Amino acid sequence: MKKALVLCGGIPQIALIKELKNRDFTVLLADMNENVAARPFADEFYKVSVLDVEAITNLAKEKKVDCVLTVCADQVLEVTAKVSETLGLPCYIDFETAQNVSNKAYMKTIFKQNGVPTANFKIQESLCVEELADLNYPLIVKPVDAYSSRGVTKVLSPEELVSAFNKATSISRAKAAIVEEFVIGNEISVDVYVEEGKAKVLCLTDLYKIGEGGKFIINRSKIPATATADVAQKISEAAQKIADAFGLKNTPMLMQVLVNGQDISVVEFCARTGGGVKFLMIEKFTGFDVVKAVVDLTLGEKPRVKPFTPPKTITVNEFVYCNSGELANLCGFEELLADGTIADYKQFKLSGSKFGEINGSGDRVAYFSIEAEKEDELLLKHNKANKTISALNPQGQDIIRHDLLEKFSGR
């Protein structure tokens, strides 16, 4: 029987494992966390860092797997490409390209060279405030090679630069940071599938972020996005420029775009599908299964994006975070699912998980999805959900950050 090694054990990887098993693969799963959500779905589990290229290579070689793959993970895609190239295994992206689309410093440079609208920026390994004099405050400081908003900080003055820069470079594997001008605008997540070099925009999603402490961590998404036809066209043109500049032929692609009026600014992109439950939303609104597409591409098949009539509903995905404490159990979600208040939910953290400062999307305890045809119906369901759910600690106290859920409004 064919064997596949899947890297990371989150919710998207559950769908990946199921797709592989439908094709008669024995599925091995690697992750440093022994309690990942996807573990029960795999045939074998190995506690290995998915960023350790040597360890993953050795595991793949020892188990004689036919392919190594993942979905919805930036840096892990780079590992997947490297291991596959080393062992002569199939992969939808070569290692050089995987490196290029994972390095934000290289990415921003290519944007500028190819007319992709983006913020003015500088790249530094050691902070030199004088070299940043031509950049206008506020500034955004972020690692050149991290993801999930880790290490991203907004600074208002030169005095705030030092701690933000040190934080970013401490997280960066390359020990370098991008310092760029802050662009005002609503953020839109753009999911694209590049088919034979043609960038086809699948869906646009409004993103909402916590924003406290100068951080930019997603806590809510809304589909469809509130983008005009002109803005959508500009986004499509930028996506094609990116595909051309990076030589992308057949791959999923994710862009982060800021929209201010009719102007757009591309924050970054990667050759993968959006994380969390985005793969579910894409299929619902476009009919295109991006997880299946990744498996198809890996096995040498060519997926096709076909015309599709999207549903006439509004969908909000709410990502739930906690105050400091330990999780004993989640309450209220099944009740809301049963009465139709929420359309879906997923628990990301198991009992015993501990929470502290919110530093990235990996700190989510759960998510729930609400569907409605009108905004007022959406708001009523959302308010009910916020009043009903709880994440109890061992002492029976609710530790959910309900204050984040209360900040609900449409654009």
Side-chain angles (χ1 to χ4, degrees):
M1 182 177 283
K2 299 172 291 184
K3 288 184 182 179
L5 174 58
V6 171
L7 307 187
C8 292
I11 299 298
Q13 282 75 33
I14 294 176
L16 176 58
I17 290 170
K18 288 180 177 180
E19 179 65 29
L20 287 164
K21 285 195 166 188
N22 286 340
R23 304 186 191 214
D24 297 322
F25 275 84
T26 296
V27 182
L28 288 59
L29 176 64
D31 200 301
M32 274 300 289
N33 183 355
E34 294 180 296
N35 296 316
V36 288
R39 181 171 181 174
F41 298 87
D43 296 295
E44 300 174 26
F45 176 81
Y46 297 91
K47 185 178 179 180
V48 181
S49 169
V50 295
L51 297 180
D52 187 333
V53 175
E54 183 178 0
I56 296 297
T57 302
N58 290 338
L59 177 61
K61 190 174 182 179
E62 176 189 344
K63 297 300 177 180
K64 299 179 180 179
V65 301
D66 297 281
C67 55
V68 180
L69 62 173
T70 194
V71 288
C72 311
D74 277 350
Q75 292 177 307
V76 184
L77 175 61
E78 193 175 337
V79 175
T80 300
K82 178 61 176 176
V83 173
S84 298
E85 189 171 291
T86 299
L87 298 180
L89 301 177
C91 186
Y92 73 84
I93 192 169
D94 63 87
F95 178 57
E96 182 179 358
T97 303
Q99 278 187 310
N100 291 341
V101 302
S102 299
N103 187 299
K104 296 173 185 177
Y106 178 83
M107 181 187 305
K108 295 281 284 189
T109 301
I110 296 298
F111 283 179
K112 285 292 187 182
Q113 292 174 351
N114 289 272
V116 178
T118 194
N120 294 324
F121 70 97
K122 294 288 178 67
I123 300 162
Q124 292 190 340
E125 294 181 358
S126 299
L127 180 61
C128 179
V129 177
E130 291 76 15
E131 291 181 1
L132 305 175
D134 58 340
L135 296 181
N136 297 313
Y137 284 84
L139 298 175
I140 299 296
V141 183
K142 56 188 176 184
V144 298
D145 50 9
Y147 59 100
S148 297
S149 299
R150 292 179 67 242
V152 180
T153 308
K154 179 181 178 181
V155 299
L156 303 177
S157 66
E159 290 72 29
E160 296 179 356
L161 263 177
V162 176
S163 60
F165 188 86
N166 290 340
K167 178 182 178 181
T169 53
S170 69
I171 291 173
S172 169
R173 289 172 297 159
K175 301 304 176 187
I178 294 176
V179 182
E180 65 183 15
E181 292 180 347
F182 174 71
V183 176
I184 297 174
N186 294 327
E187 186 166 346
I188 290 181
S189 171
V190 184
D191 280 279
V192 179
Y193 184 74
V194 182
E195 182 181 312
E196 298 297 348
K198 175 66 175 177
K200 299 184 176 183
V201 175
L202 298 173
C203 63
L204 307 180
T205 307
D206 282 331
L207 296 183
Y208 300 76
K209 297 193 172 184
I210 295 174
E212 59 188 34
K215 298 176 183 177
F216 297 87
I217 300 168
I218 299 169
N219 68 305
R220 182 178 301 123
S221 66
K222 184 179 178 183
I223 303 176
T226 51
T228 66
D230 286 345
V231 165
Q233 180 60 33
K234 289 180 180 180
I235 289 173
S236 180
E237 291 169 358
Q240 189 60 58
K241 286 181 179 180
I242 291 171
D244 292 341
F246 287 83
L248 303 179
K249 296 302 179 186
N250 292 284
T251 177
M253 187 170 91
L254 174 68
M255 300 164 59
Q256 288 175 260
V257 179
L258 291 169
V259 179
N260 186 352
Q262 299 303 303
D263 296 327
I264 72 166
S265 176
V266 180
V267 180
E268 59 191 43
F269 92 103
C270 49
R272 66 168 176 90
T273 299
V277 293
K278 180 61 82 66
F279 69 99
L280 295 173
M281 294 299 101
I282 293 172
E283 185 170 11
K284 174 185 174 182
F285 279 85
T286 72
F288 187 73
D289 187 337
V290 287
V291 173
K292 180 179 181 297
V294 167
V295 178
D296 285 341
L297 287 172
T298 303
L299 300 181
E301 302 171 27
K302 295 291 180 68
R304 293 287 182 264
V305 179
K306 299 177 182 178
F308 183 83
T309 302
K312 296 179 179 179
T313 54
I314 307 165
T315 298
V316 166
N317 296 316
E318 192 74 49
F319 301 105
V320 184
Y321 294 87
C322 287
N323 289 298
S324 296
E326 180 181 339
L327 176 66
N329 61 287
L330 292 180
C331 301
F333 289 86
E334 282 294 329
E335 172 189 335
L336 293 169
L337 188 64
D339 70 14
T341 302
I342 63 176
D344 186 30
Y345 83 92
K346 294 284 188 301
Q347 182 172 347
F348 296 143
K349 300 292 186 182
L350 302 179
S351 297
S353 299
K354 294 180 171 61
F355 300 92
E357 183 180 1
I358 300 173
N359 290 311
S361 59
D363 296 318
R364 300 166 180 168
V365 65
Y367 114 100
F368 63 86
S369 177
I370 298 174
E371 298 177 0
E373 293 186 1
K374 296 182 179 180
E375 291 283 349
D376 54 353
E377 179 191 358
L378 199 69
L379 181 59
L380 286 173
K381 287 184 174 182
H382 190 277
N383 288 341
K384 181 179 179 180
N386 190 25
K387 293 176 181 177
T388 304
I389 63 171
S390 60
L392 303 181
N393 65 13
Q395 292 74 43
Q397 299 166 320
D398 183 11
I399 59 173
I400 282 180
R401 285 285 306 271
H402 286 281
D403 59 307
L404 298 178
L405 297 174
E406 288 166 359
K407 299 173 183 176
F408 179 80
S409 64
R411 283 188 184 148

